[in-house]
Amino acid sequence: MDPSFPPTPPSEPDSEPAELLDHLLQSLFDDFCFWFERGLTLLDLTPEKLLPASEQQALRQRLEEALQAIAATRALRAACSTPMAVDMDAMAPWHRLMMRVWNLSAMLRIAGVTLPPEVRPPSQA
């Protein structure tokens, strides 16, 4: 290294891929949160003959923990000054839980339970 030249400052990450990553993850987190909150609503409508109380409580706990984990993940990403992805292995349980909510919804529909409409909040993007 030639001492007559100042060190090169670190390059800024390309903002376009970083913005795309942020947009995609924000959308994904919004979807997870929507379905987990929807799952909590559906559990309030679920009769015990369809899903025993112990299973309802276990599912409710998993949904609440997933919502907390997503909030923590969002906070960590927001606190980081550089773009940060989220490991797919970390999100896989959230995807499985979302599918569990879809299955619960289908079970309730088949059982003739009237479900509230799926109203999504306006996009924050």
Side-chain angles (χ1 to χ4, degrees), residues 48-64:
E48 281 191 45
K49 68 179 181 180
L50 209 57
L51 191 65
S54 61
E55 290 182 38
Q56 287 186 36
Q57 184 55 36
L59 180 54
R60 183 176 302 280
Q61 183 175 351
R62 288 177 55 208
L63 290 168
E64 289 169 350

Side-chain angles (χ1 to χ4, degrees), residues 35-36 39-40 42-43 46 51-66 96-105 107:
W35 285 107
F36 296 163
L40 292 171
L42 296 179
L43 282 171
T46 302
L51 191 65
S54 61
E55 290 182 38
Q56 287 186 36
Q57 184 55 36
L59 180 54
R60 183 176 302 280
Q61 183 175 351
R62 288 177 55 208
L63 290 168
E64 289 169 350
E65 287 172 357
R96 286 190 296 273
L97 187 55
M98 186 173 63
M99 291 173 51
R100 178 66 181 101
V101 170
W102 293 347
N103 288 338
L104 176 61
S105 180
M107 287 173 36

Side-chain angles (χ1 to χ4, degrees), residues 21-37:
L21 175 66
D22 283 343
H23 178 75
L24 290 174
L25 285 175
Q26 179 68 27
S27 177
L28 187 60
F29 293 155
D30 288 347
D31 282 346
F32 282 135
C33 287
F34 171 82
W35 285 107
F36 296 163
E37 290 166 2

